[in-house]
Amino acid sequence: MSRRSGILEFAVLGLLRESPMHGYELRKRLNTSLGVFRAFSYGSLYPCLKTLVERGWLTEEHEPARPPQEGEREALSASLSGRRAKIVYRLTASGKEHFEELLSQTGPDAWEDEHFGVRFAFFGQTSRDVRMRVLEGRRSRLEERLAKMRASLARTRERLDDYTLELQRHGMESVEREVRWLTELIESERTGRDREAGSDPGPPQRRPGDAGGRPRHRGGTPPDPSDDTA
């Protein structure tokens, strides 16, 4: 299984944990809630759904077709009136267990650009300890990337024209912004954990999270760092 198909399966299971959906509804949620899937098509989604059904993680339920409306022409009703039965996908107990297992994983894949964005979208269903490990792993990965970008820029600065140099700086600034954002989230999670433990961390600061450590809404997606490490 490729990394990208694995991310898609994770996202589908997570969305269906919230509520059963039709394939079309799933595709809309993938596009609107998880921007990384904007390029995905039905050609990618339905094989994924079929695989998840075969593994016993989803079930298919045929929703009854609605009765024809008065005046509809029978010759066109199947294709134009929406009377075909729709398939509703529902998460099974086994699928829920598998998704919770995936949620608990905090390895390097969870820190990568595409996978991190999807994992972050489901932080509301993730335990605090796992959130902390993912956030800290992501920050560490970006700090490594930033160090490489700075070293590369120092070596090649004299050979770059003004526009290429500006592009390099833009990429570095994008990564720096996400590192700062991650640091705020990590501090917020720690503050929430300290409060739950009964300690007194002092007056609350304006951070992007509530007492439970969850961030305020920031447009639905984390910052998008540049992948340019040249």
Side-chain angles (χ1 to χ4, degrees), residues 32-195:
T32 58
S33 302
L34 307 173
V36 70
F37 294 108
R38 288 194 182 99
F40 272 53
S41 65
Y42 282 115
S44 301
L45 178 58
Y46 282 101
C48 173
L49 291 170
K50 181 179 179 181
T51 297
L52 296 177
V53 170
E54 291 173 349
R55 292 176 179 172
W57 296 334
L58 302 182
T59 59
E60 294 178 328
E61 299 176 1
H62 292 268
E63 188 177 79
R66 69 171 179 82
Q69 300 296 312
E70 183 178 355
E72 285 182 345
R73 297 174 59 182
E74 288 298 320
L76 298 176
S77 61
S79 59
L80 299 180
S81 69
R83 288 177 52 208
R84 287 180 178 174
K86 294 181 179 180
I87 297 176
V88 177
Y89 295 92
R90 185 182 300 274
L91 195 66
T92 65
S94 176
K96 181 179 179 181
E97 182 179 346
H98 178 64
F99 179 69
E100 290 173 351
E101 179 183 345
L102 294 176
L103 275 182
S104 69
Q105 295 177 4
T106 59
D109 280 354
W111 313 336
E112 299 299 338
D113 293 342
E114 286 186 348
H115 207 161
F116 173 75
V118 178
R119 287 297 302 267
F120 189 83
F122 293 101
F123 263 22
Q125 304 181 41
T126 307
S127 70
R128 186 192 305 280
D129 289 343
V130 171
R131 292 198 303 264
M132 282 286 290
R133 288 196 293 271
V134 173
L135 290 171
E136 289 173 340
R138 174 65 174 174
R139 183 174 64 176
S140 177
R141 177 60 51 86
L142 291 183
E143 288 172 339
E144 293 173 2
R145 181 183 301 176
L146 190 58
K148 291 178 181 179
M149 294 172 76
R150 287 171 175 162
S152 175
L153 183 59
R155 290 194 307 268
T156 61
R157 182 187 299 271
E158 299 301 325
R159 302 194 300 271
L160 299 177
D161 61 64
D162 290 344
Y163 296 102
T164 304
L165 183 61
E166 192 61 31
L167 184 62
Q168 294 277 347
R169 288 172 176 164
H170 174 70
M172 289 175 55
E173 289 172 359
S174 296
V175 178
E176 288 169 347
R177 281 197 301 272
E178 184 169 356
V179 169
R180 290 194 298 269
W181 176 71
L182 290 166
T183 298
E184 289 183 343
L185 292 174
I186 290 168
E187 290 178 2
S188 179
E189 293 286 350
R190 286 175 177 161
T191 299
R193 184 167 60 187
D194 289 342
R195 289 174 181 168

Side-chain angles (χ1 to χ4, degrees), residues 14-25:
L15 290 174
L16 290 176
R17 189 187 186 194
E18 298 173 2
S19 65
M21 297 183 202
H22 305 128
Y24 177 70
E25 292 175 305

